[in-house]
Amino acid sequence: MTVEPTPTDPAPERPRSSLLPMPTLGSPQTAVGSRQWLLWGALGIFLIGLGMRLWRLNEFPAPVFDEVYFPEFAQNYLDGKPFFDVHPPLGKYFIALSIQVFGRNEWGFRFATALCGSLIPLLLTGLAYRLTYHVGLALLSGALLLTDGIFLVESRFGLINVYLVAFGLAAAILLLGGLERRGWRRAVHFTGSGILLGAAVSVKWNGLWFAFMFALLGLLVWGVIWLRPQWIPRLGLLVQIRHLRWWHYAFCFILAPLVFYALQWIPHLQFNPQQGLTLDWSWAGIQNYFRALVAINQSIYGGQTAANLVVDEETPVHPYCSTSLRSLVAWFPALRPWLATRLGSAGAWSWPIMGRSVGYYFSSEDNLWRAVHGLGNPWLWWLGTGSILVLVGRGIRRFNGIEAFILIGYAANYLPWFMVSRCVFIYHYMSALAFSTLALAWLVILGWQSYQRFWRGVSLTAVALVLATLIFFFPIWFGLPLSPNGFYARMWFRSTPVPLFCFSPESCERTPLRLPPIPGLNWI
């Protein structure tokens, strides 16, 4: 088979900034760094992440936050009790398996989630390496994600969001692995990737955003081929998408995910018959299965779009719903008609700046507070958001395959949420956060390799800020005892003025420097 020749890329331009020229997607032949360092570093990232998640895992009695749902549903599977949930069942299956091993206690409710959560920094490491074959970038990406509070807190209770992110990242890794291969090995990788996409959707429906990411990557490649053929060499590995056969799309990325999604419902439907439909291996039983499958998904859709979940000014749904642009009405009353639209009501607006946190646990004793707060690492989030904006600017000036992949991963997992005006929470940003973290690591590496000392200093400062906030916010992610003043010192944004540059209760009371409340920003 002959391969269609591709236009050659013009000679590299000298960078206008002091950052190094942008490489295209890497390959094993252009790998940077020792593979041995990668293996040992990845092992260290996994072990540190696992230790952070297992440490004092059973300290807070269940249920905590949404543990009132998911471990309870998992036990219903074990007991054969019918119930209704607004999410597909796969995440609860893992919790049920953990309960079978460790018993009906905090370890049983939380161990599977903690193990899966500890794999996510490792998976981001693998994705970064598969994308660039740069060992330093891969290890930095995983290490940065280790410092985030949302991923940590979500991994330490019997919750299910980490399963979705893990399956989505693993699917992306297998996609890139399949693009590197030929023949049956490519088909095996693509099929595995498609199954993992189905698994992501089988945890929560917003796992579809990873499938959306794959579709956008295909549109990108074919758009470059048809409209900007001179950019083809900059696509790097992604250019292999042009060589996919029709059956790769039909079987690996459509049929395989659908089959997995359909099959994982079988245990749930056996315990929760829909409309009295019983399942067996007879022709009537198989027909009942498909009718029940349609019925249960219709019920989930109804549960997800229920009117009582819509957030408006008169009917607040939950105190921790992510804030939307409607919070700006107090400052800009003339914008009220526009801010009341579906787009203006989307809670996703506040995620990149971490506008609204979630309280998972709180107790007080002897004037000491113990709070577990679903709050990200502020500098990781803010620098990650800034990195995404920088990549957008760089992409406008000159197309690059690596940066396009990161931006598409971020956009596919973030922008669809603007269609949602119901109550959403900051943990829905987790998938997009993985890609903004990858963007930050990418720019840190470019800055560290820069021609100028200034950019090297910027890179070191960014990493130092992220590590410093990890240490500072550690107590409210693990629920360690804090004085009330120690707790409020970590609530940088709240509904009352925040004293600045004070280090004791007395000085904080006297200081005239106070940050006024900012609409939409409240961490308490």
Side-chain angles (χ1 to χ4, degrees):
M1 181 182 69
T2 59
V3 179
E4 179 183 346
T6 58
T8 57
D9 201 24
E13 305 168 4
R14 181 164 183 80
R16 296 182 180 178
S17 71
S18 54
L19 295 180
L20 286 181
M22 299 180 292
T24 56
L25 275 79
S27 68
Q29 292 74 31
T30 60
V32 178
S34 166
R35 189 174 180 84
Q36 185 176 10
W37 275 105
L38 174 67
L39 295 176
W40 283 108
L43 178 62
I45 287 173
F46 170 70
L47 292 178
I48 293 172
L50 184 63
M52 293 172 69
R53 284 153 178 80
L54 295 183
W55 183 58
R56 303 167 70 173
L57 185 66
N58 63 339
E59 181 171 12
F60 301 110
V64 172
F65 193 57
D66 278 350
E67 284 187 328
V68 296
Y69 302 116
F70 305 127
E72 183 66 25
F73 295 157
Q75 292 178 88
N76 288 342
Y77 287 130
L78 299 176
D79 297 335
K81 294 181 180 179
F83 67 95
F84 174 73
D85 183 18
V86 295
H87 300 298
L90 186 59
K92 279 77 72 179
Y93 293 162
F94 288 107
I95 297 176
L97 179 61
S98 178
I99 292 172
Q100 282 282 71
V101 175
F102 295 97
R104 304 190 182 211
N105 52 49
E106 284 74 15
W107 274 95
F109 299 157
R110 298 166 183 171
F111 179 81
T113 304
L115 179 61
C116 181
S118 65
L119 290 172
I120 292 177
L122 183 64
L123 288 168
L124 188 64
T125 299
L127 179 62
Y129 185 71
R130 185 67 73 180
L131 182 65
T132 65
Y133 282 92
H134 192 294
V135 172
L137 172 67
L139 296 179
L140 179 61
S141 300
L144 287 175
L145 200 59
L146 274 179
T147 70
D148 183 63
I150 286 290
F151 274 99
L152 182 61
V153 171
E154 280 282 320
S155 302
R156 287 175 50 82
F157 297 108
L159 310 175
I160 62 175
N161 292 297
V162 294
Y163 298 108
L164 184 158
V165 180
F167 287 135
L169 293 178
I173 292 172
L174 287 184
L175 170 68
L176 295 179
L179 293 176
E180 289 183 343
R181 289 163 173 81
R182 301 288 188 272
W184 66 269
R185 291 183 177 85
R186 169 173 285 183
V188 168
H189 276 73
F190 284 169
T191 303
S193 179
I195 290 173
L196 288 168
L197 285 179
V201 181
S202 299
V203 177
K204 285 187 174 182
W205 276 2
N206 53 290
L208 279 169
W209 303 161
F210 280 99
F212 182 43
M213 169 189 169
F214 283 24
L216 289 180
L217 289 173
L219 291 175
L220 168 72
V221 170
W222 286 107
V224 168
I225 292 171
W226 291 333
L227 303 176
R228 290 290 187 271
Q230 68 273 23
W231 292 357
I232 290 177
R234 304 180 198 170
L235 286 170
L237 180 63
L238 292 180
V239 77
Q240 291 298 322
I241 290 176
R242 72 187 300 184
H243 300 303
L244 268 59
R245 306 295 183 86
W246 67 268
W247 56 269
H248 284 129
Y249 295 102
F251 177 80
C252 301
F253 295 115
I254 297 178
L255 184 61
L258 287 176
V259 169
F260 183 91
Y261 180 78
L263 292 179
Q264 59 93 34
W265 276 104
I266 292 177
H268 180 90
L269 294 176
Q270 288 177 327
F271 293 125
N272 300 272
Q274 302 297 304
Q275 303 171 357
L277 298 171
T278 58
L279 309 185
D280 55 47
W281 289 104
S282 67
W283 176 242
I286 294 174
Q287 289 179 310
N288 286 344
Y289 161 70
F290 285 105
R291 294 191 186 102
L293 188 63
V294 171
I296 190 65
N297 281 278
Q298 288 176 335
S299 298
I300 288 180
Y301 179 77
Q304 294 285 355
T305 56
N308 61 349
L309 292 176
V310 176
V311 181
D312 57 43
E313 296 179 58
E314 287 75 31
T315 57
V317 177
H318 193 285
Y320 293 119
C321 288
S322 298
T323 50
S324 66
L325 291 183
R326 288 187 299 102
S327 60
L328 298 178
V329 169
W331 282 7
F332 306 103
L335 297 180
R336 179 182 294 272
W338 184 82
L339 296 177
T341 63
R342 174 182 291 268
L343 182 62
S345 298
W349 285 105
S350 63
W351 294 342
I353 58 173
M354 205 166 64
R356 187 77 180 104
S357 64
V358 174
Y360 286 64
Y361 177 86
F362 179 85
S363 67
S364 62
E365 184 177 356
D366 298 330
N367 203 35
L368 288 177
W369 290 1
R370 305 190 71 180
V372 178
H373 233 54
L375 186 71
N377 183 319
W379 280 109
L380 178 68
W381 285 52
W382 298 336
L383 292 173
T385 299
S387 298
I388 291 295
L389 296 177
V390 170
L391 293 194
V392 170
R394 288 166 64 89
I396 292 173
R397 294 197 305 272
R398 189 174 191 270
F399 175 78
N400 173 262
I402 292 174
E403 298 182 357
F405 182 95
I406 297 172
L407 288 174
I408 285 176
Y410 179 83
N413 282 282
Y414 176 51
L415 295 183
W417 287 104
F418 285 96
M419 300 184 296
V420 180
S421 57
R422 53 153 285 188
C423 176
V424 293
F425 301 93
I426 196 170
Y427 52 70
H428 289 125
Y429 187 66
M430 290 170 64
S431 297
L433 177 64
F435 288 95
S436 67
T437 301
L438 182 56
L440 173 60
W442 171 249
L443 290 182
V444 166
I445 291 295
L446 288 183
W448 179 249
Q449 297 174 342
S450 172
Y451 300 120
Q452 291 187 3
R453 187 176 301 174
F454 171 78
W455 292 111
R456 294 169 68 91
V458 169
S459 294
L460 286 176
T461 301
V463 173
L465 285 171
V466 171
L467 292 177
T469 48
L470 162 67
I471 297 170
F472 185 67
F473 284 90
F474 195 86
I476 64 169
W477 296 335
F478 283 88
L480 301 181
L482 284 172
S483 68
N485 289 317
F487 172 80
Y488 284 116
R490 289 161 175 83
M491 300 295 104
W492 293 351
F493 299 101
R494 46 187 191 249
S495 58
T496 56
V498 180
L500 302 176
F501 306 112
C502 60
F503 305 97
S504 68
E506 295 76 16
S507 62
C508 287
E509 290 180 3
R510 294 194 304 267
T511 180
L513 297 175
R514 296 180 181 272
L515 178 68
I518 300 176
L521 293 179
N522 185 5
W523 288 0
I524 298 180

